[in-house]
Amino acid sequence: MNIFVKIFVLLTLTFGTLNAGKFLMPNEAFAPYAKVNDKTQIEVGVKLGKKIYLYEKSLKISLEDSKDFTIKNIQKPKTVNHEGDAVYMHSPNFVLTLKNRDGVSGIKDVKVKIAYQGCSEEGLCYEPNSKVFTLKIDSKKLASGGKIMQQSQTDSIAQTIKSSSFIVVLLTFLGFGLLLSLTPCVFPMIPIISGVIISQGEGLTTKKAFVLSLVYVLAMAVAYTIAGVLAGLFGSNLQAALQTPWVVYSFAGVFVLLAFSMFGFYELKLPDALVAKVSSNSKRSGYAGVAIMGFLSALIVGPCVAAPLAGALVYIGQTGDALLGGAALFSMSIGMGLPLIVVGVSAGKFMPKPGAWMTLVNAVFGVLMLGVSIWMLGKVVDENVTTLLYALVGIGFALYLDAFSKEGHIFKRSVAFILLTYSLALFISVLAGAPSMSKPLGFLKASPIQGVAAVSSKELHFTKVTSIPELNAVLEKNRGKKIMLDFAADWCTSCKELDEVTFADADVRKKLSDFVLIRADVTKNGANEKALSKKYGVFGPPAIIFFDKDLQPIESKTIIGYEDPKEFLGHLRSL
């Protein structure tokens, strides 16, 4: 009897094992996957094993913790009826079309979750399962519908950093810096470094002038690099944060103090008691003062946003590689500072010996320091105030040079007379309510009947916005039209240059009459302004963005920094 029981158990186990062999393990029955296709869509699906099917009602696709994207549409395959249920009998593939949320730029991670549950036709149902995939999405390519677009200058520069060797990147950005040194962005630093060198007084050698200039430029480069890396990593504009009125007033006051010391009213130095204690380190403390001046000059007086800078910031923001991006910014800053070193060495080498000439040279640099101070105030006060201050400084210096004297060198008297004439013209332009540094008497061209109002009526009309909702409302209202968005700020020097030179050009005005003009005013640099800048990848003004008829930015036509009328007109004609 026992023998029959053993045979029965053996047969049961054998048939049970054979029957179990007909069912696939879960990982054999279901193989979920997710990938990004060439149209920047996400393809999600489940590869099914033999005789396996999925229930439609149990299959769910979603984005996990997504702050950057939403699902715009899901393309689903057809289902079949299986015993009253909608099922997928063959491996289903789903195509997700995503949409950027407001303010998203660069390459972002997205987590896609697929949940599913299915059965085997052999009579076994599996437990519900799910899997999460992490993919990378290029938000710019997504916004363009996956089309490969012509790169903007900024993106092209960012690509150069990605694809080139470390040495090539440094040399390329050094060249960019040299080119930027020829722009008005760097000009305000020339009187600063010259004044710093001249203020060293007697005994200044060429070697010491070179070292002081080098310290100034290195400090400037360090400050610019730190600010750039922070902007790239966090999307914040440190330079903009330092343009608040109290900071500008304080730094302008420093230059006024430096100017009056140049005029001989007093000597800027530490208290004698403190000097005695640090006399052994006096040389070091002098260099420290120059370094501090260079560091602050970069942040407060410093260069404007330009395509090379924006390209480096885009690279840092997309890759998080602050080392290579920071090295590129440092190299660019050194390139911008090389001419400043030449200026500093020249100021030390050709500084005249003590005497009447030395007094005149100090006075000249004192006036230049006052000019820098007024230029800085122009970021936070009305143009009438700065123009009046320029006029007063010019009149005062002309009188100092004895503009009405019949004695002295004719060149000096001629310069004094020209300066006095120009300064008086500036003063008159302020009284007329039409201040202009380039054309102080330009208001006289208006007819006597129309007066100054005729001049202002020719100005371009920009619709001002300061937040994303305001901009979206204006864009939607003008859908189908040509639209230009200009990012500007009161403290942005290049923005004013665009207004006074480029946008004032008659041919440019005529061409811009075809466009709806919008100005994003980011002067306050508050939460709304930061969100607006971040949405369009703008690290600081000036920046000009053009939109197509579907209200999508034309990436390849974005302008970063200043362009003269001829360049800008060619840009408009290419749209």
Side-chain angles (χ1 to χ4, degrees), residues 432-435 442-443 446 450-462 509:
F443 66 92
Q450 292 174 320
V452 177
V455 178
S456 61
S457 67
K458 296 180 182 178
E459 293 180 356
L460 297 172
H461 174 68
F462 285 86
R509 288 176 181 272

Side-chain angles (χ1 to χ4, degrees), residues 111-281:
K111 293 182 178 180
V112 183
K113 179 180 179 181
I114 179 170
Y116 54 90
Q117 193 266 324
C119 299
S120 168
E121 294 184 42
E122 298 293 338
L124 175 66
C125 284
Y126 296 84
E127 292 183 354
N129 206 342
S130 65
K131 188 168 183 178
V132 177
F133 299 88
T134 300
L135 306 171
K136 291 189 179 295
I137 296 291
D138 188 335
S139 60
K140 286 188 177 181
K141 195 173 179 182
L142 177 63
S144 67
K147 298 177 182 177
I148 299 175
M149 302 175 64
Q150 181 183 355
Q151 285 185 320
S152 66
Q153 187 178 13
T154 298
D155 290 330
S156 178
I157 293 172
Q159 187 61 38
T160 298
I161 304 179
K162 291 180 182 178
S163 58
S164 302
S165 67
F166 187 79
I167 299 299
V168 171
V169 169
L170 295 186
L171 292 176
T172 300
F173 272 78
L174 183 69
F176 285 145
L178 286 170
L179 293 176
L180 287 175
S181 69
L182 304 177
T183 67
C185 295
V186 181
F187 290 172
M189 288 184 159
I190 293 176
I192 296 176
I193 191 170
S194 301
V196 167
I197 300 300
I198 293 294
S199 66
Q200 298 297 313
E202 299 180 34
L204 179 65
T205 63
T206 302
K207 180 180 178 181
K208 185 176 181 181
F210 170 76
V211 175
L212 288 169
S213 302
L214 182 61
V215 169
Y216 179 93
V217 170
L218 287 175
M220 180 194 80
V222 169
Y224 210 52
T225 302
I226 293 173
V229 169
L230 291 176
L233 291 176
F234 304 110
S236 60
N237 189 344
L238 179 60
Q239 194 168 7
L242 290 172
Q243 303 304 321
T244 53
W246 72 270
V247 174
V248 174
Y249 288 140
S250 300
F251 210 63
V254 170
F255 285 109
V256 171
L257 292 175
L258 288 172
F260 278 87
S261 72
M262 290 286 189
F263 295 142
F265 286 99
Y266 47 76
E267 183 180 356
L268 286 179
K269 63 178 184 178
L270 296 172
D272 292 337
L274 184 60
V275 170
K277 292 182 179 180
V278 297
S279 58
S280 60
N281 296 321

Side-chain angles (χ1 to χ4, degrees), residues 75-129:
Q75 296 178 15
K76 300 179 179 180
K78 292 183 179 181
T79 61
V80 298
N81 185 282
H82 179 73
E83 298 180 359
D85 292 311
V87 300
Y88 298 105
M89 300 298 297
H90 301 286
S91 301
N93 185 70
F94 303 84
V95 180
L96 279 64
T97 301
L98 302 185
K99 181 181 179 181
N100 292 334
R101 293 185 186 273
D102 288 342
V104 175
S105 62
I107 299 175
K108 301 291 184 180
D109 287 338
V110 58
K111 293 182 178 180
V112 183
K113 179 180 179 181
I114 179 170
Y116 54 90
Q117 193 266 324
C119 299
S120 168
E121 294 184 42
E122 298 293 338
L124 175 66
C125 284
Y126 296 84
E127 292 183 354
N129 206 342

Side-chain angles (χ1 to χ4, degrees), residues 518-575:
I518 308 173
R519 174 154 293 172
D521 187 350
V522 295
T523 301
K524 293 183 179 179
N525 196 39
N528 288 335
E529 290 83 2
K530 289 179 180 178
L532 185 56
S533 297
K534 184 179 180 181
K535 178 177 181 179
Y536 293 100
V538 173
F539 290 94
I544 299 175
I545 297 172
F546 297 92
F547 292 83
D548 61 22
K549 294 182 179 180
D550 296 322
L551 303 183
Q552 293 298 322
I554 307 174
E555 298 286 349
S556 62
K557 300 301 180 181
T558 296
I559 298 175
I560 301 295
Y562 171 78
E563 278 195 356
D564 62 34
K566 184 177 179 180
E567 289 177 318
F568 187 73
L569 196 58
H571 199 94
L572 292 178
R573 288 169 177 164
S574 69
L575 289 168

